Structure formats: structure tokens, C-alpha cells
Amino acid sequence: SGKLDLDEWKKVMRSGLQEELSETVSEPEELSGLAAARETLEMWRLAGRAVPESISEDQLKTFMECPSKSAKKKYLKYLHLKELYKKSEKRKMDEKRERRQEARDEAAQTAETKKSPFVCLWSSTMDRAYSWRAAQSMVFGQPLVFDMSYEKEMSAREVANTVTQMVLSESCNRRAADPFHIHLCNFREDSLYHREFTRHYRGAWDKLLVTVTEQCYTDIFPKDKLVYLTADSPKVMKTFEHDKIYIVGSMVDRSIKTGVSLARAKRLGLETAALPLDKYLLWSTGAKNLTLDQMMRILLTLKDTADWKKALEFVPKRKYCGFVNKPRKELKKTLDLINTLKLGKRCEGEKQFAKTYPKKYKLK
């Protein structure tokens, strides 16, 4: 056997030991870097920055490889927004699932309720009573005219919205204690109005207890009895008159073309009137135009009670701050506060108050 070379043996042992040390040291360094990155994320989260709640190791490594602090912030913000989007989608899906389940439960309860003989008898009896009132109104009731001559002024979508509001109006009128006799004047069979009505009512359209005619209202009723209700009228309606025949324009105009219905009434030589919204309501925002079903509810309440305060409760609450039943100083302060919050101008409130409520009106 040859002699053992100790120097060579030492070199081999040292090289193997260094390789083992390099392998064992590299992993803790990498782990310590990830831990430091997680601590940094936790500090940023406590500082209120946009940091995701959960982050994977691959995302953490990408975060560590970002060249600058701003790049790291942008990357974390991207992950945060992505996490929020996933949570929002999950919440929407859960709410949709809950609504679907509630709808199923309600449908099951409704099906069980409909099977009750008492409920069936009650609903059929009430339907007969409502139909009997509507039939009586066609003979003895006060006429209410819907002017159906505005199809050219609207788009197909606006016509559909108009018919939807008129369906609600007819339903509200049929359930009233003293309904109007509804007249649909200037109604053509080949119009978009007719198509939308037949889509809503289907087979019940021909049995509807309203008067549908192609004639103009001036050919049916005397002109001195007609009053055209329009928000552009300079004359304010003071009281509801039972011997008058009120006309409502069947129009939904998203662009708010002012003066269209007023111009039509003037061409026909008719009396016009506007609801006294400024007199009874502290108007805030929006145009003083109401939907057709709101107009129907207001007119029915006026017909039954002659109380403007009860009738104008059907005006949307978002358009006014309350009824004019406070001292003038309090109303002034309210308008100033509204304009300060919305426009940041205190003087606009005083101008609007002076314009809307002149000195000749004394508020109680």
C-alpha cells in the first residue's frame, strides 16, 4: 500500500465541507429574506397602506425583486385591488344566491297562500269591486285625459317608459275609491304606444275599462272645460275643480324639453295650469316635472280630500326639503345650508329663496 498524501486529503475534505456549508446557508438566507419581507408588509399594513391581506410566496418573491420602493408600493396596491375585486365578486354571488333563495321561499309561500279558498274568494271579490268602480266611472266619473300625441318627440325607450308609467296610473286609478274616467286621446292603432300597451296588457287590452280614441280632446269636450296641466304654465293651480277636465301630456322626456306641452295647449287655445310646488314645498334640486303615476296619485288625493299637503306627499322626497310650514328665517337657513354643502356658495341660497318666495307671500 502506498503512503497517504495528507495535503491532498485535507484539500478534498475542505472542498466538500464548503459545498455542504454553502447549500445549508443559502436556504436560511432565502427564508430570512422572505420573513423580512413579511415583516415589512405587516408594518405597512399597520401604517394604513394598501396591502393585501394574504400573499403567496411567489408574489412575495416578486415583491422582493422589485427594483425600488415605489415599484413595491405599486405592486402591493395592484395585489390589494385584485383582492378587493375578488371579495366584491364573491359578496355579489352570495347576495345573488341569497336573493334567489328568498325568491324561492316567497314563491313557495305565495303558492301555499293562493291555495287558500278564503284568499281566492277575497281576491276575486276585490277584483270585481275594482272593475265595478271603473265601470261606474266610465258613466258617472270625472274625465281625465291623457294626450297621446307626443310619440314623435320621444325615442322608443322613452315611449316604453311612458307606457309603463301609464300602466301604473291605470292600476292606481282602478283601486281608488272614486276613480277617474280615463280617456286616451290622439291614440293611433299603428303607434309605438299601442305596441307597448299590448305587450303589457296582452289579452286584457281590449277589455280595459278606459276610453281609447283617435279623436282630439277638443273634438270631444268643450274647450272652456279643458285645463292642460304642464309644469311650464305661468298660471298656478289653486284648487281642484270637479267640473273641469284635466289633460296630462303622455310624455317622458329625459332631455327635459321645456315648453312642448305648453306650446301645444296655446296652439289649441286651452287654459293651462301648473301644480303649486313652490308654494307648498321647499324645493331643493331637479326639474319640477313629475311622472305620470305621481300625477295620477296627486290628482286622486286632491279629488278625494282637497288637501294639497296630503297630495304633494307623492312628490319624490329627494326633490324637496319639506313643506313650507316653518318661519322664514328657518327656511332661509335650510336653503343656505343646502347650497353650502352642494355648491359651496352661501349667497346662492339667499338668491334662490328670494326668487322662489317673494315678499308678497307671507309664510306662517
Side-chain angles (χ1 to χ4, degrees):
S1 61
K3 295 181 179 180
L4 182 64
D5 191 350
L6 294 177
D7 293 334
E8 290 294 332
W9 180 77
K10 288 179 182 178
K11 288 180 181 178
V12 171
M13 292 300 293
R14 285 173 182 171
S15 63
L17 183 62
Q18 287 176 356
E19 287 179 1
E20 289 179 1
L21 287 173
S22 63
E23 289 177 359
T24 56
V25 168
S26 61
E27 292 181 1
E29 284 180 355
E30 186 177 355
L31 291 175
S32 64
L34 292 174
R38 289 188 185 278
E39 289 181 1
T40 304
L41 291 178
E42 190 63 28
M43 290 173 59
W44 286 7
R45 183 181 291 108
L46 293 174
R49 295 182 180 176
V51 178
E53 293 181 2
S54 60
I55 186 169
S56 64
E57 288 191 2
D58 293 336
Q59 293 172 344
L60 203 59
K61 289 178 182 178
T62 307
F63 167 73
M64 293 169 59
E65 293 172 359
C66 292
S68 62
K69 189 175 180 180
S70 62
K72 291 181 179 180
K73 288 181 181 179
K74 289 180 181 178
Y75 180 66
L76 289 179
K77 187 177 181 181
Y78 159 73
L79 293 178
H80 178 65
L81 293 175
K82 187 177 179 181
E83 189 178 60
L84 290 178
Y85 176 75
K86 286 183 178 179
K87 287 183 178 179
S88 176
E89 289 296 318
K90 186 179 178 181
R91 187 179 68 254
K92 288 179 182 178
M93 292 297 294
D94 293 340
E95 291 176 355
K96 189 176 181 180
R97 194 178 298 110
E98 290 177 1
R99 287 197 300 269
R100 195 182 298 120
Q101 186 63 35
E102 289 176 359
R104 289 174 184 170
D105 296 340
E106 289 179 1
Q109 291 177 1
T110 306
E112 291 178 1
T113 306
K114 284 183 178 179
K115 292 178 182 178
S116 172
F118 175 75
V119 174
C120 294
L121 179 63
W122 173 261
S123 60
S124 61
T125 304
M126 291 307 297
D127 284 339
R128 289 197 198 97
Y130 293 146
S131 299
W132 176 248
R133 287 179 187 173
Q136 280 186 321
S137 70
M138 295 187 71
V139 181
F140 306 106
Q142 181 179 359
L144 178 67
V145 177
F146 283 97
D147 188 0
M148 312 295 294
S149 61
Y150 294 99
E151 183 179 331
K152 295 181 180 179
E153 306 288 340
M154 296 183 291
S155 62
R157 183 178 179 182
E158 290 171 344
V159 171
N161 291 339
T162 302
V163 172
T164 302
Q165 293 179 15
M166 293 188 66
V167 170
L168 294 174
S169 302
E170 188 274 331
S171 176
C172 177
N173 180 69
R174 193 169 67 91
R175 286 169 170 77
D178 185 15
F180 286 103
H181 178 196
I182 296 177
H183 287 73
L184 305 183
C185 295
N186 299 314
F187 189 92
R188 294 185 292 105
E189 291 291 334
D190 57 344
S191 61
L192 286 175
Y193 284 119
H194 183 260
R195 189 186 311 167
E196 290 295 326
F197 271 117
T198 53
R199 185 176 67 84
H200 275 278
Y201 286 106
R202 298 183 181 179
W205 168 245
D206 295 329
K207 302 175 183 178
L208 205 63
L209 295 173
V210 297
T211 299
V212 182
T213 178
E214 294 185 0
Q215 290 182 298
C216 184
Y217 32 84
T218 54
D219 300 331
I220 304 173
F221 306 105
K223 281 190 176 183
D224 58 341
K225 295 290 184 180
L226 296 174
V227 179
Y228 210 112
L229 297 178
T230 171
D232 304 316
S233 175
K235 184 179 178 182
V236 178
M237 181 179 174
K238 296 181 180 179
T239 57
F240 182 88
E241 300 182 44
H242 294 269
D243 59 341
K244 294 288 185 180
I245 301 168
Y246 293 100
I247 306 169
V248 180
S250 301
M251 178 174 58
V252 173
D253 187 11
R254 291 183 177 272
S255 59
I256 311 298
K257 297 176 183 176
T258 58
V260 177
S261 55
L262 180 62
R264 178 169 179 78
K266 285 185 176 180
R267 282 197 303 270
L268 296 173
L270 301 178
E271 181 185 352
T272 62
L275 298 181
L277 300 177
D278 290 331
K279 183 178 178 182
Y280 292 94
L281 299 178
L282 182 61
W283 206 260
S284 174
T285 57
K288 295 180 178 64
N289 293 327
L290 304 175
T291 60
L292 300 177
D293 53 306
Q294 290 166 4
M295 283 292 298
M296 175 63 79
R297 288 184 171 90
I298 289 172
L299 293 175
L300 284 170
T301 307
L302 284 175
K303 185 181 180 184
D304 293 339
T305 64
D307 188 348
W308 279 105
K309 189 170 182 179
K310 285 185 179 179
L312 295 180
E313 285 179 354
F314 294 103
V315 176
K317 299 291 190 296
R318 67 180 183 276
K319 291 193 173 186
Y320 69 94
C321 307
F323 287 90
V324 182
N325 53 4
K326 300 179 181 179
R328 184 184 292 270
K329 290 183 180 179
E330 293 185 15
L331 296 176
K332 203 171 183 182
K333 287 180 182 178
T334 306
L335 274 174
D336 286 343
L337 180 60
I338 292 168
N339 287 283
T340 301
L341 294 175
K342 294 185 177 180
L343 305 176
K345 299 178 182 178
R346 233 174 241 285
C347 59
E348 291 293 329
E350 297 179 1
K351 291 180 181 178
Q352 184 178 352
F353 184 85
K355 183 178 178 181
T356 309
Y357 302 98
K359 292 182 180 179
K360 62 181 181 178
Y361 292 112
K362 294 182 179 180
L363 306 179
K364 299 180 180 179

